[in-house]
Amino acid sequence: MARNICFCAAITAVLISLCIAATLDIPIYRQHLIVGDETRGKSIKASETKPNPVWHNDTIPLQKFMDAEYFGIIRIGSPAKNFKMVFNTMWGDTWIPSAHCGLFEIACMTHTRYDSSRSSSYQEDGTIFSTGDTANDLQGFVSRDKFRLDHLTIENQSFIEMTHIPWIPYGLSKADGIIGLGFPDLRHIKAPSFFTNMLKQKLINKPMFSFYFNRDATTERAGRLVLGAPDRKHVNESTLVTVPVIGKLYWNIKMDRMVIDVRDKSHPFCKDGCEALLDSSTNTIVGPRDEIQLINDLLGARSFVPAIFKMDRYMVNCREFAKLPPINFVIAEKTFTINSKYYVQHLTYESLEICLSPFVPSDEKFWQLGGAFLMEFYTEYNFDHGQVTIGKTKF
């Protein structure tokens, strides 16, 4: 009984995390893209020392939480304090929980909170913030402080100190907050975004970032985010395709179609082309309700919907999911295939297990391609050119 309760708690945490989409604590590894410090760990003479290298990009190691969310560490304030942050292509702003949360703000109190009184580099702004969404309202106020990466420091970065964070969907999220990587027009506040500030302060040379995700299920390493540079070490360059972004708000591109072959029959979706938003914050693939229902039927998935979560998730047979068909996404007339070994979310706790389809229905007409798609592909995002580059990852 106790084991079942623990597993249910774990599944509850995952389901909460999967809701985050408005949705990787120890740095695992880091690839230095400009220069390396080959003297680390060696004794050197004063005459042999060299000036510190000038960095024009930085790398953030990513971790994953039960394949449901991906986050990395940002250090904020002086002295610096670690925050686990989701780098979210679906958001324009940056926010973290505030020490000014009320005692009954459970989602805030259970995460790392920012206390301006303990940071000597804090700067007051005070602008009031609210998403205005009655069902999922976030409330707080704007502040400024230093944001520190491994090699770069962003000065006077504006962010939202959240004082009200809904329990659903944020309460059991592993991450503390969000750094928005959407286009500037997606911001709720007027101050420069995290990425815009990096450019304005000449910390990076190129107005781009790139994601590489690690699909190894045996590790919490989830890959890395590179800010200001491409990172094509793990991509098959012959598979790269570059497509324009539609509208420069979200990172949404045109998807030509999607095809699933089952029992020698092809089942097309998005037949006349459709918009697809690339979503780094979650592991799901979201699409129009009628098409998602048909896809889940083809996968033999059955509904798994705890009513309190106000979400639609489907389960597949854990003993059979490896036999599920590959799914083909056609973008710029090039086919990108994902396999069930990676697109099914396989959760285990001792001898108990559950397997979730990544396909989640929505009342919107566009698609959102999250980690179930991104896990098998390398992606580059270029602000100035308004384009996304996608290629097959080498493992």
Side-chain angles (χ1 to χ4, degrees):
M1 176 65 72
R3 185 177 64 183
N4 291 342
I5 292 173
C6 290
F7 182 64
C8 289
I11 297 304
T12 299
V14 171
L15 290 170
I16 290 287
S17 300
L18 288 169
C19 286
I20 301 174
T23 302
L24 263 131
D25 333 85
I26 300 172
I28 302 299
Y29 61 93
R30 188 172 302 277
Q31 178 185 0
H32 303 315
L33 295 178
I34 301 299
V35 294
D37 183 1
E38 298 179 354
T39 64
R40 184 172 296 172
K42 301 178 182 179
S43 60
I44 54 177
K45 300 177 182 179
S47 60
E48 296 175 339
T49 59
K50 298 179 180 180
N52 290 331
V54 177
W55 295 86
H56 296 293
N57 55 66
D58 218 332
T59 303
I60 299 174
L62 303 176
Q63 286 184 272
K64 57 189 172 185
F65 173 56
M66 296 185 76
D67 284 339
E69 59 179 311
Y70 313 96
F71 56 86
I73 301 298
I74 293 289
R75 292 168 291 133
I76 301 174
S78 302
K81 187 174 184 178
N82 286 359
F83 288 83
K84 302 185 208 55
M85 306 294 283
V86 172
F87 295 86
N88 191 340
T89 53
M90 300 287 288
W91 265 74
D93 301 301
T94 293
W95 65 262
I96 52 177
S98 174
H100 295 284
C101 286
L103 290 176
F104 297 104
E105 291 287 342
I106 306 301
C108 182
M109 300 293 286
T110 55
H111 288 85
T112 302
R113 290 167 289 156
Y114 171 81
D115 187 346
S116 60
S117 69
R118 296 180 178 273
S119 175
S120 62
S121 50
Y122 160 74
Q123 295 188 40
E124 183 179 0
D125 182 305
T127 302
I128 300 300
F129 169 86
S130 173
T131 57
D133 182 351
T134 56
N136 191 27
D137 191 25
L138 289 161
Q139 298 174 13
F141 57 92
V142 180
S143 295
R144 294 191 301 274
D145 212 325
K146 291 184 178 182
F147 278 48
R148 306 171 194 268
L149 310 180
D150 193 34
H151 302 101
L152 303 175
T153 298
I154 302 98
E155 303 284 347
N156 303 322
Q157 176 59 51
S158 294
F159 62 97
I160 303 159
E161 286 193 51
M162 289 298 182
T163 55
H164 173 67
I165 304 172
W167 173 251
I168 298 176
Y170 300 101
L172 293 179
S173 169
K174 189 75 167 179
D176 300 309
I178 286 175
I179 288 184
L181 292 177
F183 282 90
D185 286 348
L186 195 57
R187 293 171 299 160
H188 290 83
I189 63 176
K190 295 181 180 180
S193 69
F194 173 81
F195 198 89
T196 298
N197 251 352
M198 294 188 76
L199 288 169
K200 289 180 65 175
Q201 296 177 27
K202 303 186 185 304
L203 300 176
I204 55 177
N205 288 339
K206 297 182 179 181
M208 66 177 299
F209 60 92
S210 59
F211 277 107
Y212 155 70
F213 288 100
N214 173 17
R215 63 187 184 185
D216 184 353
T218 65
T219 176
E220 291 184 356
R221 300 181 183 185
R224 60 176 169 265
L225 164 67
V226 177
L227 300 165
D231 181 24
R232 296 185 176 183
K233 176 181 178 181
H234 293 281
V235 66
N236 185 339
E237 297 214 22
S238 66
T239 68
L240 288 172
V241 61
T242 299
V243 291
V245 169
I246 302 170
K248 283 195 174 185
L249 187 64
Y250 297 97
W251 294 98
N252 55 324
I253 60 177
K254 180 184 177 184
M255 182 166 68
D256 300 327
R257 59 192 172 278
M258 187 174 69
V259 180
I260 304 177
D261 295 324
V262 179
R263 292 184 289 274
D264 299 322
K265 182 179 179 180
S266 290
H267 300 267
F269 300 90
C270 174
K271 299 177 185 177
D272 299 319
C274 52
E275 289 190 28
L277 284 63
L278 300 181
D279 182 358
S280 63
S281 69
T282 184
N283 198 39
T284 58
I285 296 175
V286 180
R289 187 170 298 276
D290 54 347
E291 296 200 88
I292 292 293
Q293 182 63 62
L294 290 173
I295 292 172
N296 279 321
D297 287 346
L298 289 172
L299 299 180
R302 63 185 187 277
S303 181
F304 176 71
V305 190
I308 62 170
F309 295 117
K310 301 178 182 179
M311 59 186 292
D312 294 312
R313 292 307 304 266
Y314 290 75
M315 291 192 304
V316 297
N317 188 332
C318 286
R319 296 182 181 180
E320 301 289 336
F321 81 83
K323 300 178 182 178
L324 293 177
I327 299 173
N328 302 303
F329 298 79
V330 182
I331 299 171
E333 293 304 323
K334 182 167 286 192
T335 300
F336 296 90
T337 302
I338 63 174
N339 298 286
S340 61
K341 179 179 179 181
Y342 305 111
Y343 70 68
V344 170
Q345 187 180 357
H346 186 200
L347 309 176
T348 61
Y349 180 78
E350 295 187 3
S351 62
L352 302 173
E353 63 180 350
I354 184 172
C355 296
L356 298 177
S357 163
F359 292 97
V360 178
S362 166
D363 293 326
E364 303 292 344
K365 297 300 183 184
F366 55 80
W367 293 72
Q368 291 173 226
L369 306 183
F373 174 83
L374 297 174
M375 193 62 63
E376 298 205 44
F377 305 106
Y378 162 83
T379 48
E380 289 177 5
Y381 305 76
N382 191 300
F383 283 96
D384 277 4
H385 296 160
Q387 63 188 28
V388 174
T389 299
I390 307 173
K392 181 69 176 178
T393 304
K394 294 187 297 186
F395 293 97

